[in-house]
PDB file of all heavy atoms in Angstrom:
ATOM      1  N   VAL A 218      10.558   1.916   0.657  1.00  0.00           N
ATOM      2  CA  VAL A 218       9.432   1.075   1.080  1.00  0.00           C
ATOM      3  C   VAL A 218       9.554   0.784   2.583  1.00  0.00           C
ATOM      4  O   VAL A 218       8.581   0.867   3.337  1.00  0.00           O
ATOM      5  CB  VAL A 218       9.383  -0.219   0.234  1.00  0.00           C
ATOM      6  CG1 VAL A 218       8.378  -1.207   0.790  1.00  0.00           C
ATOM      7  CG2 VAL A 218       9.059   0.120  -1.220  1.00  0.00           C
ATOM      8  N   ARG A 219      10.796   0.485   3.030  1.00  0.00           N
ATOM      9  CA  ARG A 219      11.019   0.210   4.450  1.00  0.00           C
ATOM     10  C   ARG A 219      10.648   1.440   5.296  1.00  0.00           C
ATOM     11  O   ARG A 219      10.033   1.337   6.350  1.00  0.00           O
ATOM     12  CB  ARG A 219      12.494  -0.156   4.667  1.00  0.00           C
ATOM     13  CG  ARG A 219      12.744  -0.878   5.970  1.00  0.00           C
ATOM     14  CD  ARG A 219      14.219  -1.218   6.204  1.00  0.00           C
ATOM     15  NE  ARG A 219      14.972  -1.535   5.019  1.00  0.00           N
ATOM     16  CZ  ARG A 219      16.005  -0.810   4.553  1.00  0.00           C
ATOM     17  NH1 ARG A 219      16.394   0.281   5.180  1.00  0.00           N
ATOM     18  NH2 ARG A 219      16.645  -1.171   3.467  1.00  0.00           N
ATOM     19  N   ALA A 220      10.985   2.625   4.792  1.00  0.00           N
ATOM     20  CA  ALA A 220      10.803   3.842   5.596  1.00  0.00           C
ATOM     21  C   ALA A 220       9.351   4.293   5.680  1.00  0.00           C
ATOM     22  O   ALA A 220       8.926   4.790   6.728  1.00  0.00           O
ATOM     23  CB  ALA A 220      11.671   4.967   5.019  1.00  0.00           C
ATOM     24  N   VAL A 221       8.579   4.141   4.590  1.00  0.00           N
ATOM     25  CA  VAL A 221       7.268   4.817   4.581  1.00  0.00           C
ATOM     26  C   VAL A 221       6.036   3.930   4.347  1.00  0.00           C
ATOM     27  O   VAL A 221       4.918   4.401   4.503  1.00  0.00           O
ATOM     28  CB  VAL A 221       7.241   5.981   3.543  1.00  0.00           C
ATOM     29  CG1 VAL A 221       8.382   6.935   3.735  1.00  0.00           C
ATOM     30  CG2 VAL A 221       7.210   5.471   2.110  1.00  0.00           C
ATOM     31  N   SER A 222       6.227   2.655   4.027  1.00  0.00           N
ATOM     32  CA  SER A 222       5.049   1.867   3.604  1.00  0.00           C
ATOM     33  C   SER A 222       4.018   1.695   4.729  1.00  0.00           C
ATOM     34  O   SER A 222       2.840   1.486   4.461  1.00  0.00           O
ATOM     35  CB  SER A 222       5.468   0.512   3.045  1.00  0.00           C
ATOM     36  OG  SER A 222       6.191  -0.177   4.018  1.00  0.00           O
ATOM     37  N   HIS A 223       4.449   1.816   5.997  1.00  0.00           N
ATOM     38  CA  HIS A 223       3.477   1.669   7.095  1.00  0.00           C
ATOM     39  C   HIS A 223       2.602   2.925   7.259  1.00  0.00           C
ATOM     40  O   HIS A 223       1.596   2.903   7.942  1.00  0.00           O
ATOM     41  CB  HIS A 223       4.207   1.370   8.419  1.00  0.00           C
ATOM     42  CG  HIS A 223       5.226   2.412   8.794  1.00  0.00           C
ATOM     43  ND1 HIS A 223       6.326   2.707   8.024  1.00  0.00           N
ATOM     44  CD2 HIS A 223       5.273   3.249   9.850  1.00  0.00           C
ATOM     45  CE1 HIS A 223       7.019   3.667   8.602  1.00  0.00           C
ATOM     46  NE2 HIS A 223       6.406   4.019   9.712  1.00  0.00           N
ATOM     47  N   VAL A 224       3.012   4.017   6.592  1.00  0.00           N
ATOM     48  CA  VAL A 224       2.243   5.269   6.698  1.00  0.00           C
ATOM     49  C   VAL A 224       1.580   5.631   5.359  1.00  0.00           C
ATOM     50  O   VAL A 224       0.470   6.154   5.323  1.00  0.00           O
ATOM     51  CB  VAL A 224       3.167   6.434   7.159  1.00  0.00           C
ATOM     52  CG1 VAL A 224       2.369   7.721   7.280  1.00  0.00           C
ATOM     53  CG2 VAL A 224       3.845   6.096   8.481  1.00  0.00           C
ATOM     54  N   ILE A 225       2.287   5.355   4.252  1.00  0.00           N
ATOM     55  CA  ILE A 225       1.766   5.721   2.921  1.00  0.00           C
ATOM     56  C   ILE A 225       1.293   4.443   2.217  1.00  0.00           C
ATOM     57  O   ILE A 225       2.125   3.603   1.841  1.00  0.00           O
ATOM     58  CB  ILE A 225       2.853   6.449   2.089  1.00  0.00           C
ATOM     59  CG1 ILE A 225       3.289   7.711   2.826  1.00  0.00           C
ATOM     60  CG2 ILE A 225       2.353   6.770   0.688  1.00  0.00           C
ATOM     61  CD1 ILE A 225       4.375   8.510   2.122  1.00  0.00           C
ATOM     62  N   PRO A 226      -0.022   4.279   2.055  1.00  0.00           N
ATOM     63  CA  PRO A 226      -0.517   3.018   1.492  1.00  0.00           C
ATOM     64  C   PRO A 226      -0.433   2.916  -0.037  1.00  0.00           C
ATOM     65  O   PRO A 226      -0.622   1.850  -0.580  1.00  0.00           O
ATOM     66  CB  PRO A 226      -1.990   2.988   1.944  1.00  0.00           C
ATOM     67  CG  PRO A 226      -2.350   4.410   2.196  1.00  0.00           C
ATOM     68  CD  PRO A 226      -1.090   5.175   2.480  1.00  0.00           C
ATOM     69  N   GLN A 227      -0.119   4.022  -0.721  1.00  0.00           N
ATOM     70  CA  GLN A 227      -0.093   3.993  -2.203  1.00  0.00           C
ATOM     71  C   GLN A 227       0.955   3.006  -2.723  1.00  0.00           C
ATOM     72  O   GLN A 227       1.957   2.751  -2.057  1.00  0.00           O
ATOM     73  CB  GLN A 227       0.231   5.380  -2.779  1.00  0.00           C
ATOM     74  CG  GLN A 227      -0.926   6.335  -2.797  1.00  0.00           C
ATOM     75  CD  GLN A 227      -1.059   7.071  -1.468  1.00  0.00           C
ATOM     76  OE1 GLN A 227      -0.220   6.927  -0.601  1.00  0.00           O
ATOM     77  NE2 GLN A 227      -2.115   7.828  -1.311  1.00  0.00           N
ATOM     78  N   THR A 228       0.712   2.534  -3.957  1.00  0.00           N
ATOM     79  CA  THR A 228       1.689   1.642  -4.601  1.00  0.00           C
ATOM     80  C   THR A 228       2.809   2.481  -5.197  1.00  0.00           C
ATOM     81  O   THR A 228       2.542   3.416  -5.957  1.00  0.00           O
ATOM     82  CB  THR A 228       1.001   0.860  -5.748  1.00  0.00           C
ATOM     83  OG1 THR A 228      -0.145   0.247  -5.214  1.00  0.00           O
ATOM     84  CG2 THR A 228       1.929  -0.187  -6.333  1.00  0.00           C
ATOM     85  N   PRO A 229       4.066   2.165  -4.850  1.00  0.00           N
ATOM     86  CA  PRO A 229       5.167   2.965  -5.407  1.00  0.00           C
ATOM     87  C   PRO A 229       5.430   2.665  -6.884  1.00  0.00           C
ATOM     88  O   PRO A 229       5.113   1.572  -7.359  1.00  0.00           O
ATOM     89  CB  PRO A 229       6.366   2.544  -4.547  1.00  0.00           C
ATOM     90  CG  PRO A 229       6.019   1.217  -3.994  1.00  0.00           C
ATOM     91  CD  PRO A 229       4.523   1.115  -3.931  1.00  0.00           C
TER      92      PRO A 229
END
Side-chain angles (χ1 to χ4, degrees):
V218 171
R219 199 181 326 116
V221 307
S222 58
H223 57 298
V224 181
I225 300 179
Q227 281 86 6
T228 307

